[in-house]
């Protein structure tokens, strides 16, 4: 379900790591957070689990029982601005169509990925500002540079 973009010399310049998801997967995500021994990665998993719970995709779309989601979208910095991310997203959506997924989902942690997803016409169903995701002391867990201010969940219904 995943894709890679390669230069003419064969260098990997972009990836879209995709996976399927079904209802009932949140306890598994919570267990991964609890069992993670790397503090930095645990913070990331905790954020993604919060987004998963609050976006609540399967409740919002009760007729949907599986989704194709883009889990990681990355483009080599030297290759940015050439439409590679947008093309990988479009091709991932095509994989969803070809494999009968009724819903396509992308969680965007970057302003740039959110812009690329919005260009494709997906609908934003959830937003979490980084400043509102806080640790036990009440401080934001992440303070990314502007314009990366929020996590957004986008979806698109796939017509059969």
């Amino acid at each position: 379900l995943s894709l890679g973009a390669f230069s003419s010399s064969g260098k990997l310049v972009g990836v879209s790591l995709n996976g399927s998801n079904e209802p009932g997967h949140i306890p598994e995500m919570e267990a991964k957070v609890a069992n993670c021994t790397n503090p930095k990665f645990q913070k990331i998993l905790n954020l993604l689990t919060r987004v998963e719970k609050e976006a609540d995709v399967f409740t919002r779309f009760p007729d949907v029982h599986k989704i194709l989601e883009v889990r990681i979208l990355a483009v080599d910095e030297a290759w940015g601005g050439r439409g590679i991310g947008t093309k990988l997203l479009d091709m991932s959506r095509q994989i969803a169509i070809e494999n009968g997924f009724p819903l396509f989902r992308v969680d965007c942690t970057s302003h740039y990925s959110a812009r690329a997803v919005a260009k494709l016409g997906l609908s934003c169903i959830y937003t979490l500002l980084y400043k509102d995701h806080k640790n036990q002391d009440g401080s934001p867990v992440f303070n990314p540079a502007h314009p990366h201010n929020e996590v957004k969940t986008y979806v698109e219904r796939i017509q059969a």
Side-chain angles (χ1 to χ4, degrees):
L1 299 174
S2 297
L3 299 165
F6 297 87
S7 70
S8 58
S9 66
K11 179 184 178 194
L12 181 64
V13 297
V15 295
S16 182
L17 301 179
N18 306 328
S20 62
N21 226 337
E22 297 176 359
H25 63 285
I26 290 177
E28 181 181 336
M29 292 181 75
E30 292 171 328
K32 287 180 181 179
V33 172
N35 296 323
C36 183
T37 58
N38 181 309
K40 289 182 182 179
F41 192 56
Q42 187 178 45
K43 288 178 183 179
I44 295 167
L45 290 176
N46 188 48
L47 172 68
L48 296 175
T49 301
R50 178 179 177 180
V51 169
E52 188 70 26
K53 287 179 181 177
E54 293 180 6
D56 203 10
V57 173
F58 289 107
T59 300
R60 290 175 192 255
F61 300 92
D63 61 314
V64 171
H65 300 290
K66 68 176 183 173
I67 60 174
L68 180 73
E69 57 187 18
V70 174
R71 295 183 176 158
I72 296 175
L73 178 69
V75 175
D76 184 311
E77 201 172 291
W79 287 79
R82 301 183 194 190
I84 294 169
T86 302
K87 183 67 173 173
L88 287 168
L89 287 166
D90 194 40
M91 292 175 71
S92 295
R93 180 171 56 184
Q94 194 60 39
I95 288 171
I97 293 167
E98 292 169 2
N99 287 279
F101 286 93
L103 199 70
F104 179 57
R105 173 188 178 156
V106 185
D107 289 332
C108 299
T109 58
S110 157
H111 171 76
Y112 303 120
S113 61
R115 192 170 61 188
V117 171
K119 280 184 191 177
L120 292 175
L122 279 75
S123 300
C124 182
I125 62 163
Y126 175 78
T127 300
L128 173 65
L129 298 174
Y130 284 116
K131 69 178 185 170
D132 294 336
H133 182 66
K134 299 177 180 177
N135 61 22
Q136 300 88 333
D137 300 330
S139 301
V141 176
F142 300 103
N143 294 298
H146 182 78
H148 312 291
N149 302 319
E150 58 203 7
V151 179
K152 291 185 170 189
T153 298
Y154 288 87
V155 297
E156 179 182 21
R157 277 196 177 271
I158 304 296
Q159 300 302 319

